[in-house]
Amino acid sequence: MSGLAAPGLEAKGLVIDVPGRPDGRAIDLAIAPGQRWGVLGPNGAGKTTLLHTLAGLRPPRVGEVRLDGRALARWRRRALARRLGVVFQERHDDFPATVRETALIGRHPFLSPWRQEGPEDLARADAALARLDLGHLAERELSTLSGGERQRVSLATVLTQAPDIWLADEPTNHLDLHHQVAAMALLAEQADQSRGVIMCLHDLNLAARWCSHLLLLYPDGQACWGPAEAMLTLAALERLYDQPLTRVEVDGAPVFVPVR
Ligand SMILES: Nc1ncnc2c1ncn2[C@@H]1O[C@H](COP(=O)(O)OP(=O)(O)OP(=O)(O)O)[C@@H](O)[C@H]1O
């Protein structure tokens, strides 16, 4: 399913629908194959709302989202589910399922209603679980996992799906340092395979290190976006978080440290 033809997923004059908030600035951007977009903003800025709107899970207030030039509203739900993969922030659906059964949900958009998963689907799920260091937990009930293990199952489920566009809501949530880097490396690898990636992040330094493009989302509906290096200015980030910062450089990449 890789090999997405440009322009990928596009926001056209998009205003997300955050109740009680002014429209602010309409968003116009394209998540092209190979790009790694990060969405930054304080709590409540609308990052999750934006991601869900881009995934077609909630309607925009104004404007539209297009995939391959066609409005999401004109896509069949199932066709969209094959192309867009969402890593949700926290899910506690908690209907009984093992880790492997959960990863296999990634194959559901590709199965006809009467068809069970086959050996190829199982192989994809097991490969994804192995990639996320979850092979030894494949038979475990999801409800027994730690927060970080659950987060890795969410990533493994979308990896099993292998969508053209990844929409990841805080993909490093609950992850230890090693697995944070592994998750970002996985998303970078997906982009390298001509997939589009957009992720909401709270960690400025992961964003600075791993994102090719950034969208800064302000709580009043204002927004700015562009190539990461152009967005990573001290003034813009301090205003975004209402927090004084210091900028240093490590291995040629900027690192932002909060000033106490
Ligand atoms: N159904 C709703 N009714 C009223 N307000 C809502 C509703 N859903 C979301 N909101 C509000 O919309 C705003 C944006 O929420 P959203 O979850 O998109 O923010 P976020 O940037 O992802 O935040 P966080 O960093 O805390 O995850 C928040 O202020 C939230 O309280």
Side-chain angles (χ1 to χ4, degrees):
M1 278 278 131
S2 60
L4 183 71
L9 193 67
E10 293 170 286
K12 288 277 184 190
L14 180 69
V15 177
I16 58 172
D17 196 15
V18 175
R21 195 164 84 175
D23 286 0
R25 184 180 177 195
I27 297 171
D28 279 287
L29 59 81
I31 303 158
Q35 290 182 345
R36 289 160 281 147
W37 279 84
V39 183
L40 298 177
N43 291 141
K47 302 179 297 298
T48 297
T49 305
L50 172 66
L51 210 73
H52 288 187
T53 306
L54 290 173
L57 300 174
R58 51 186 298 168
R61 185 187 290 171
V62 181
E64 65 181 15
V65 180
R66 295 181 191 164
L67 178 62
D68 295 349
R70 181 153 45 116
L72 291 193
R74 297 185 53 222
W75 281 77
R76 293 172 68 127
R77 192 67 244 170
R78 192 176 158 78
L80 219 47
R82 292 179 176 178
R83 302 288 305 281
L84 306 181
V86 183
V87 181
F88 289 96
Q89 194 177 84
E90 301 258 350
R91 291 199 104 169
H92 293 285
D93 302 345
D94 276 349
F95 64 89
T98 66
V99 166
R100 181 182 282 115
E101 286 164 351
T102 305
L104 277 168
I105 292 171
R107 296 303 300 160
H108 287 184
F110 303 94
L111 302 175
S112 38
W114 59 89
R115 219 196 94 203
Q116 287 263 310
E117 302 97 355
E120 196 197 320
D121 302 309
L122 275 167
R124 281 174 184 260
D126 282 344
L129 292 175
R131 176 65 204 265
L132 274 299
D133 288 341
L134 290 165
H136 61 298
L137 295 175
E139 304 297 339
R140 277 272 289 280
E141 282 293 320
L142 193 64
S143 59
T144 67
L145 298 188
S146 74
E149 289 165 346
R150 253 175 199 261
Q151 181 67 18
R152 275 147 55 207
V153 174
S154 300
L155 288 161
T157 303
V158 177
L159 185 59
T160 304
Q161 178 189 349
D164 286 330
I165 311 271
W166 284 65
L167 302 111
D169 200 352
E170 298 184 32
T172 58
N173 210 5
H174 299 298
L175 297 184
D176 62 51
L177 269 182
H178 169 77
H179 285 111
Q180 285 181 26
V181 173
M184 298 308 281
L186 170 68
L187 293 169
E189 182 187 284
Q190 295 300 305
D192 289 346
Q193 293 170 7
S194 292
R195 298 185 163 104
V197 174
I198 182 163
M199 57 190 124
C200 302
L201 290 170
H202 276 300
D203 189 323
L204 206 42
N205 295 319
L206 285 180
R209 189 106 206 173
W210 293 94
C211 292
S212 61
H213 294 73
L214 291 173
L215 168 68
L216 311 191
L217 208 52
Y218 293 84
D220 60 358
Q222 291 303 315
C224 52
W225 57 88
E229 62 274 15
M231 307 311 297
L232 290 169
T233 68
L234 209 51
L237 297 174
E238 286 181 331
R239 182 167 95 77
L240 185 66
Y241 293 108
D242 191 21
Q243 169 64 46
L245 299 167
T246 301
R247 184 188 197 273
V248 292
E249 206 139 297
V250 177
D251 292 344
V255 172
F256 297 90
V257 185
V259 176
R260 285 212 290 176

